[in-house]
Amino acid sequence: MPSETLWEIAKAEVEKKRSHGSEGNGADIGEKSVFFIGSKNGGKTTIILRCLDRDEPAKPTLALEYTYGRRTKGHNTPKDIAHFWELGGGTSLLDLISIPITCDTLRTFSIVLVLDLSKPNDLWSTMENLLQATKSHVDRVILKLGKMNSKAASEVRQKMWSGMQKDHPDRELIDPFPIPLVIIGSKYDIFQDFDPEKRKVICKTLRFVAHYYGASLMFTSKSEALLLKMRGVINQLAFGVDKSKSICVDQNKPLFITAGLDSLCQIGSPPVPDSDIGKLQAHSPMELWKKVYEKLFPPKNISTLKAIQDPARDPQYAESEVDEMRVQKDQVMQIFVLGTGTVQEKFFQDLETN
């Protein structure tokens, strides 16, 4: 019999991988995805560039952006590939979360939530909106995956608890995020100059949220030592390197807590007098922490909190020539909708004159 051609061998290898994937055995194919979401202008792009060793200035993220990195395991072995996705616009483009997270990518997907510590009044709303939108979509994908491949969906649910020891005292009190989650507090260099009491509330609140969702938590800035720590955390998500076991819970230092190493006992109760806790009328621990946090850092009013829904009108994407043409187009549309024929004629005459 004639020997197999290179094409036939490659085709057989692809079919083999597909069959393994459909069985949901979790085979490591050397590809992982990391999705960066978080505060607008919070430093997500800078973190990605740093992790990829790219010495280039960070540019504003337009909607949803993608890049990738590679890492060699060893001699004569295929390189691992990490897919990096970044959602721009803070909380204004939540619908785009569904694009990179699919049934095909879910089992190798991780979330990195970057929160700007220098803007504490925006922190809770940004965190809450992004985590709720992401979790809702991931839950829907898991349900869909379960109908196609029940074993794979079961693996995802089991993996949720992988960072929590079976004998951890808080195991029955938390609700792990459905896929690996890391929360990064950026701009620590500004945050460290805050009033100590404000730092305490922010630190304790983020520790509670991270622990409740089974997430890792760390603060970072332009400091080389902090950037190296952050890079190690991202590399763990992207390339599966060993997870750090170090921990720092001192509010006077940059927090660094690997998932599963904190506890409700160490975090303590919300920083509010016991006599006031009953007055807050919270229906869950998360709601209680929210009320305590927003008492010190009230969110901006609805009109200022409302993100710009149309990126074309966002000042950070301004293009003078394009914007002028856009204004003219809007004027034309307004005239056709509201104007009379005479007004329309005069408008076009003015355009020709100019």
Side-chain angles (χ1 to χ4, degrees):
M1 287 181 64
S3 60
E4 288 183 303
T5 64
L6 186 60
W7 174 253
E8 289 171 334
I9 295 172
K11 186 179 178 182
E13 191 66 25
V14 170
E15 291 298 330
K16 182 180 177 182
K17 285 184 178 180
R18 281 180 179 172
S19 64
H20 284 173
S22 64
E23 291 170 9
N25 62 358
D28 184 7
I29 59 175
E31 291 192 28
K32 296 181 183 296
S33 298
V34 184
F35 193 9
F36 287 78
I37 59 177
S39 304
K40 188 175 181 179
N41 300 321
K44 300 183 292 295
T45 304
T46 301
I47 292 174
I48 294 173
L49 292 174
R50 178 70 189 204
C51 291
L52 296 175
D53 278 331
R54 294 183 186 172
D55 186 16
E56 58 187 79
K59 298 177 182 178
T61 301
L62 292 168
L64 183 67
E65 295 197 4
Y66 166 83
T67 188
Y68 69 93
R70 295 184 179 185
R71 184 173 183 270
T72 305
K73 287 182 180 178
H75 187 60
N76 289 333
T77 57
K79 291 183 177 179
D80 287 336
I81 300 175
H83 306 280
F84 292 93
W85 295 87
E86 181 185 356
L87 180 70
T91 59
S92 64
L93 301 170
L94 297 179
D95 290 345
L96 298 183
I97 288 174
S98 62
I99 293 176
I101 308 176
T102 66
C103 290
D104 293 329
T105 63
L106 185 66
R107 282 177 287 171
T108 57
F109 220 92
S110 301
I111 301 292
V112 175
L113 173 64
V114 180
L115 298 171
D116 188 343
L117 295 174
S118 71
K119 298 177 180 178
N121 295 80
D122 296 335
L123 190 147
W124 186 281
S125 60
T126 298
M127 174 176 66
E128 183 177 52
N129 289 332
L130 286 168
L131 288 182
Q132 286 182 354
T134 305
K135 187 176 186 298
S136 295
H137 175 67
V138 172
D139 287 341
R140 288 194 296 270
V141 174
I142 292 175
L143 286 174
K144 184 177 179 181
L145 180 62
K147 295 176 182 178
M148 299 162 42
N149 186 339
S150 59
K151 188 174 181 181
S154 177
E155 283 182 358
V156 172
R157 294 189 182 97
Q158 291 174 8
K159 190 177 178 182
M160 290 165 50
W161 294 94
S162 61
M164 182 69 62
Q165 296 179 355
K166 291 184 177 181
D167 59 350
H168 194 289
D170 302 334
R171 194 172 174 87
E172 301 299 323
L173 304 173
I174 65 172
D175 184 18
F177 208 72
I179 54 179
L181 171 66
V182 170
I183 299 176
I184 295 179
S186 64
K187 304 185 182 180
Y188 177 78
D189 49 330
I190 300 174
F191 171 79
Q192 66 182 348
D193 295 328
F194 280 15
D195 175 79
E197 196 59 33
K198 290 184 177 181
R199 288 205 314 269
K200 176 183 177 182
V201 172
I202 294 172
C203 287
K204 291 191 70 171
T205 301
L206 288 179
R207 283 180 65 188
F208 171 79
V209 173
H211 184 59
Y212 181 81
Y213 284 123
S216 295
L217 172 66
M218 66 172 298
F219 289 174
T220 191
S221 68
K222 297 177 182 178
S223 159
E224 190 64 27
L226 292 180
L227 288 172
L228 284 173
K229 275 190 169 185
M230 175 212 60
R231 185 175 175 178
V233 172
I234 304 302
N235 280 340
Q236 191 275 322
L237 298 177
F239 300 110
V241 300
D242 292 339
K243 189 180 292 186
S244 173
K245 297 294 184 183
S246 63
I247 184 170
C248 177
V249 297
D250 186 346
Q251 69 185 45
N252 296 311
K253 297 179 181 179
L255 296 183
F256 188 94
I257 309 167
T258 302
L261 296 185
D262 213 343
S263 70
L264 295 175
C265 181
Q266 290 178 320
I267 296 169
S269 58
V272 65
D274 293 341
S275 58
D276 292 345
I277 288 184
K279 300 175 184 177
L280 294 175
Q281 297 181 341
H283 300 289
S284 68
M286 185 66 74
E287 188 179 355
L288 176 61
W289 279 90
K290 177 182 179 179
K291 287 180 178 293
V292 170
Y293 183 88
E294 292 187 339
K295 188 174 182 181
L296 183 60
F297 301 107
K300 297 178 181 178
N301 60 54
I302 301 299
S303 60
T304 55
L305 260 183
K306 211 169 185 179
I308 299 173
Q309 295 298 322
D310 183 359
R313 301 183 185 279
D314 195 323
Q316 73 170 319
Y317 307 132
E319 293 279 355
S320 58
E321 293 182 3
V322 175
D323 292 342
E324 287 175 10
M325 294 178 66
R326 175 63 184 262
V327 169
Q328 289 185 4
K329 180 180 177 182
D330 290 345
Q331 288 175 341
V332 170
M333 293 302 296
Q334 186 175 10
I335 287 170
F336 271 103
V337 173
L338 302 175
T340 63
T342 304
V343 176
Q344 292 176 25
E345 289 173 9
K346 185 178 185 305
F347 177 78
F348 286 113
Q349 287 173 2
D350 291 341
L351 278 182
E352 290 173 1
T353 303
N354 295 331

